[in-house]
Amino acid sequence: MHEVGIAEELVRQVVAAACGMARGTEVAVDVGALQWVDSDALRQAFDAASQDTIAEGARLELREVPPRAVCGACAAVYVPEELGIYVCPACGAAEPEFVEGNDIVLVSLECLSPEEENRESY
Amino acid sequence: MSRIEVVSSVLRANQVRAEETRARLDAAGVACVNLISAPGSGKTTLLQKTITALEGIPCAVLVGDLQTTRDAERLAAAGAPVVQINTGRGCHLTADQVAEGLDRLDLSQIQLLFIENVGNMVCPAGVDLGEHRRVALLSVPEGDDKVAKYPTLFQGADLVLLTKVDLLSVLPFAVRQVEEDLARVNTRAPLVRLSTLEGTGMDAWLAWLRALVAG
């Protein structure tokens, strides 16, 4: 359900970035696996939040980013063996500082300019 | 078709607001603890007892709920200033809501601020509110598999409270399972067994809070 807040902020940033464009057609987002985002829920929330904005109807291109951690005990860098098991392979502590896989990043947009939009509508 | 490169964090707006809140609390000398758990794990009861027991440390509570002011009423009866935040359809508090809640408190009159998050083990776990410490609660009736099922909440916790341990004598619940699962996600946070009914663990919890306030 936290996908709703994520989608609202995503739409806000898409609208800001697409200033001067007629319509967004594709929105590429890197989703950190640690954010436990449900792709379907995010798509639905994005569709709802983008209504009546230039992002309405845009396709969400989601890419999951796996976690990478720095061990807080021994500073080893490691990739957790699976989500929910964060034991450091070097020292056995579970004190991960996640340096990847913990963010949600708006990467890029595909947009139609007003001229392109007009051409398409012919 | 034009491609616009953006590369901006969708979570950053909340993070910036949370950092502002932390700085504001630091300037006022107020320690802040964010309590996260499922509904019914005993957050409100624990806070009622805690506020009463922490004599000499003036507390306040920001309490988030989807609906009603019932928790706020219970906490106000314990004698602390309470700010209720109704999140409506929001499944967790946001840094914005907490910052607005702070505006309704006199920070010069308190030393310790509790944030009682919306009862939910998933959504609040990834959201920084500007707190100094995060406490995860797990109650015995919820079952001993919850650390494994909701690793993000427990991974991010500075302290884990196993509440309602007075029910260990009547419910099948393996504390060892919780300890083992916790060892896979978080070896930093102590696990305190607590019963507000019988008083078990209250000394350890209160000592942890006093140490935090003392800085």
Side-chain angles (χ1 to χ4, degrees):
Chain A
M1 219 172 124
H2 61 305
E3 288 84 358
V4 172
I6 292 167
E8 287 171 352
E9 176 63 17
L10 181 59
V11 168
R12 202 187 62 75
Q13 293 197 8
V14 168
V15 169
C19 180
M21 291 292 171
R23 186 155 62 87
T25 55
E26 189 176 297
V27 177
V29 182
D30 279 358
V31 180
L34 293 161
Q35 290 295 325
W36 297 84
V37 165
D38 182 90
S39 298
D40 290 339
L42 183 58
R43 286 179 207 284
Q44 280 178 18
F46 181 81
D47 288 348
S50 63
Q51 274 181 23
D52 302 322
T53 74
I54 57 172
E56 183 171 352
R59 203 168 65 83
L60 266 193
E61 184 68 35
L62 304 177
R63 189 176 70 110
E64 185 172 282
V65 180
R68 177 188 289 271
V70 175
C71 175
C74 77
V77 177
Y78 65 103
V79 174
E81 57 180 289
E82 63 180 89
L83 273 182
I85 300 184
Y86 304 132
V87 177
C88 169
C91 76
E95 299 183 26
E97 293 287 332
F98 292 109
V99 289
E100 282 175 29
N102 206 18
D103 203 352
I104 297 175
V105 176
L106 169 58
V107 180
S108 64
L109 310 169
E110 299 275 356
C111 296
L112 292 176
S113 66
E115 300 76 38
E116 287 167 328
E117 171 85 342
N118 283 336
R119 233 175 290 144
E120 269 205 2
S121 59
Y122 280 118
Chain B
M1 187 79 72
S2 354
R3 186 181 163 84
I4 303 172
E5 301 293 332
V6 188
V7 191
S8 76
S9 169
V10 175
L11 308 177
R12 181 154 174 76
N14 187 82
Q15 195 58 43
V16 167
R17 203 70 198 271
E19 296 298 347
E20 287 169 5
T21 290
R22 218 167 352 255
R24 191 170 158 195
L25 292 166
D26 287 341
V30 175
C32 179
V33 175
N34 181 4
L35 298 171
I36 306 178
S37 75
S41 66
K43 292 188 294 297
T44 309
T45 302
L46 175 63
L47 285 181
Q48 284 177 302
K49 302 250 179 186
T50 302
I51 290 162
T52 312
L54 278 175
E55 241 178 304
I57 299 178
C59 303
V61 185
L62 290 180
V63 53
D65 270 309
L66 298 180
Q67 295 288 342
T68 81
T69 56
R70 288 182 192 176
D71 282 0
E73 287 157 18
R74 284 170 62 189
L75 291 162
V82 180
V83 173
Q84 169 86 44
I85 301 167
N86 277 125
T87 56
R89 64 193 181 122
C91 48
H92 59 82
L93 286 168
T94 65
D96 267 347
Q97 289 166 336
V98 167
E100 285 160 22
L102 282 192
D103 293 339
R104 290 153 62 190
L105 285 172
D106 184 353
L107 294 181
S108 70
Q109 297 299 310
I110 62 168
Q111 285 180 278
L112 182 55
L113 174 66
F114 293 104
I115 300 172
E116 183 182 340
N117 220 311
V118 177
N120 182 323
M121 291 181 113
V122 181
C123 305
V127 184
D128 188 355
L129 301 178
E131 72 269 24
H132 296 102
R133 294 287 186 276
R134 186 173 286 201
V135 175
L137 285 78
L138 167 64
S139 68
V140 168
E142 291 167 56
D144 54 21
D145 57 354
K146 292 300 175 290
V147 174
K149 284 187 173 173
Y150 300 94
T152 303
L153 169 57
F154 294 96
Q155 185 273 315
D158 297 296
L159 176 70
V160 178
L161 300 177
L162 180 61
T163 60
K164 308 190 188 182
V165 292
D166 46 286
L167 293 173
L168 283 173
S169 58
V170 290
L171 292 174
F173 185 103
V175 177
R176 203 165 56 88
Q177 184 66 58
V178 172
E179 290 169 339
E180 284 175 12
D181 290 340
L182 203 53
R184 291 193 191 94
V185 295
N186 186 343
T187 46
R188 186 174 52 90
L191 175 71
V192 172
R193 303 176 192 207
L194 200 106
S195 164
T196 51
L197 203 62
E198 296 176 346
T200 317
M202 283 300 284
D203 285 349
W205 160 241
L206 295 171
W208 186 86
L209 289 170
R210 286 202 181 93
L212 175 65
V213 170

